[in-house]
Amino acid sequence: MQFLQLMLTSLALAMVRAAPVRAQDSPALIAGDSVLQSLVADALARNPTVAQRQAAVRAATLRIRPAGTLPDPMLSLGVMDLQLPRFEFNRSDFTEVDAELSQEIPWPGTLGARSAVMRAAVAGARAEEGAIRRELTTAMAMAYYRLGYTVTALETLRHQRDLLEAAVQLSTTRYATGAAPQSDPLQAKLARDRLRSEEFALESERVAALAAVNALRNRAPGDTFTVTPIDPAAVRPRGTSEPPADSLVALALATHPRLAIGRAAVDAATRSIQVERLGARPDFTLTLRYGYRPRAFNFNSPDFFSAFVGVRLPVWAWRKQNRLADAARADSTGAAAGLRDAELQLSREVTEAAARVQASQQRLALLVDGVLPNARGTVESVLRSYQVGRAEFLTLLSVEDARYRAELEAAQVAADYQAQLVMLRQLTAGETRP
């Protein structure tokens, strides 16, 4: 019968999928996912947030040299002592044309301190770019493996739907001949319709996951690419384990750019204190003046040359620069507190991710090695009993549904394990690819 043939075929395929996998272990398997790697590379190249951060790095870099450069000199031209009412130029010994050049010179060390603040800003901008790249890689892995799960679930569901369609036909025929109660076809139709409802929901999830992947790549929501269904047996980790949580936290604290952002903020605020303190020191102004004197009363008067040195007197420093220095100290204190908060948040995220990876490993091993074989064995046993009339049709439907649910759970756990492993790697290493 068609239903029994489909059941036997389903069991055979399940046994093939359950065969031991001698390929690479899980971390290498994930690192070798060429589709995910190409998606991440595409996202890093096209994502507007990454482009924004790269522009911010360039902008901050271009501000370093101006911050350490002297102010522009001032050139003044003028004429003095023209006789009124006709503004006569050569009717007085005091008439002259002046050209004056002045240059402001900050207190020694001021320009270097300003440049140091800008260099700290560049370090922070680069760290922000690195953090965005990691977050984008993690988000892409999450969306990709979610998409992979929906594709796998839809494939499994469609095979299960074929089984239930055959079950509806078989139970209807047996009921028509009086060999089965009316409840058999009704239960088969109910299971089929529920499965159809699940298919609608899964298709919606697939569309949403695909749109999420394409949004990260800055492409149209419906842009398609090849997605390979997830094989839980191939994903199952074999003989590998992650380092202890304490070691992972130490790696994250040493390498994650999120903390580099905080350190750069502390450095910039600390150097701003020096800038404001130097602002309370006197600045200097060097002025050179040349005075041309025209011929007057048939007498050539000598030209003049003058030089001046001016000093800015910071008499209001207690109201201006000193308070700005105090404000910079407050900023430094706040930045240090923010850095500490970032360390605590990162430690928590690493610990949680490590715990989720370990739990997913254990669940996946249990599902692949225990639950799935037992579910398939149960279906095979009940199918043999049903063939000889020793098992009810509803019992067969029940155990087949349990096998189907176990396969969905295994695919979901495998997808979650791979996504969480990518997240953990992005939290603890300097890689930009999963």
Side-chain angles (χ1 to χ4, degrees), residues 28-340:
L29 189 73
I30 295 174
D33 194 331
S34 59
V35 176
L36 178 57
Q37 288 183 353
S38 65
L39 290 174
V40 169
D42 192 23
L44 293 177
R46 295 173 54 89
N47 189 273
T49 304
V50 175
Q52 177 190 12
R53 297 302 180 186
Q54 290 172 341
V57 171
R58 176 167 174 77
T61 304
L62 292 174
R63 291 189 180 100
I64 294 178
R65 181 172 292 182
T69 303
L70 287 170
D72 292 333
M74 175 68 73
L75 176 63
S76 301
L77 298 175
V79 61
M80 61 182 295
D81 295 334
L82 296 179
Q83 279 194 348
L84 296 177
R86 297 185 179 181
F87 298 96
E88 293 176 318
F89 183 69
N90 55 357
R91 295 296 182 180
S92 173
D93 292 341
F94 298 101
T95 300
E96 65 179 76
V97 177
D98 291 328
E100 182 178 285
L101 181 67
S102 62
Q103 174 66 61
E104 181 183 347
I105 303 174
W107 185 266
T110 301
L111 297 180
R114 292 173 183 171
S115 297
V117 173
M118 290 297 102
R119 281 192 290 269
V122 171
R126 285 178 178 156
E128 287 181 1
E129 181 191 356
I132 287 296
R133 294 174 73 89
R134 291 196 184 200
E135 292 171 5
L136 182 60
T137 300
T138 300
M140 178 60 76
M142 292 290 183
Y144 171 76
Y145 287 120
R146 178 187 168 202
L147 178 61
Y149 164 71
T150 59
V151 170
T152 305
L154 283 169
E155 181 181 285
T156 305
L157 183 145
R158 285 162 186 154
H159 182 71
Q160 185 72 3
R161 183 183 60 193
D162 293 339
L163 286 177
L164 290 179
E165 290 288 356
V168 169
Q169 296 177 10
L170 172 64
S171 58
T172 301
T173 302
R174 286 172 58 85
Y175 170 66
T177 60
Q182 186 181 13
S183 60
D184 284 6
L186 292 177
Q187 289 291 334
K189 291 178 182 179
L190 176 62
R192 180 198 62 189
D193 293 342
R194 284 179 174 173
L195 206 64
R196 188 171 298 170
S197 175
E198 293 179 15
E199 183 178 9
F200 295 151
L202 282 172
E203 178 62 23
S204 174
E205 290 185 21
R206 186 196 68 80
V207 172
L210 178 61
V213 170
N214 287 328
L216 293 172
R217 299 192 301 150
N218 192 20
R219 295 188 182 274
D223 190 31
T224 59
F225 50 89
T226 302
V227 180
T228 304
I230 298 173
D231 183 1
V235 176
R236 179 199 184 284
R238 299 178 181 276
T240 61
S241 60
E242 295 297 321
D246 292 343
S247 300
L248 294 173
V249 169
L251 283 173
L253 295 178
T255 61
H256 203 283
R258 195 188 305 170
L259 299 186
I261 297 173
R263 296 187 189 103
V266 172
D267 186 29
T270 302
R271 295 184 183 277
S272 295
I273 298 174
Q274 181 67 9
V275 171
E276 301 302 342
R277 289 177 60 188
L278 291 173
R281 305 290 179 86
D283 294 335
F284 305 96
T285 301
L286 177 62
T287 303
L288 303 177
R289 178 187 295 174
Y290 168 74
Y292 166 73
R293 301 180 68 190
R295 179 183 181 86
F297 304 110
N298 295 321
F299 178 75
N300 291 326
S301 300
D303 298 340
F304 292 140
F305 174 80
S306 305
F308 306 91
V309 175
V311 178
R312 179 179 62 85
L313 301 178
V315 295
W316 305 112
W318 61 278
R319 297 188 61 181
K320 293 168 55 179
Q321 289 86 354
N322 292 348
R323 295 202 174 191
L324 290 175
D326 291 339
R329 291 187 187 93
D331 288 339
S332 178
T333 302
L339 175 59
R340 178 54 183 162

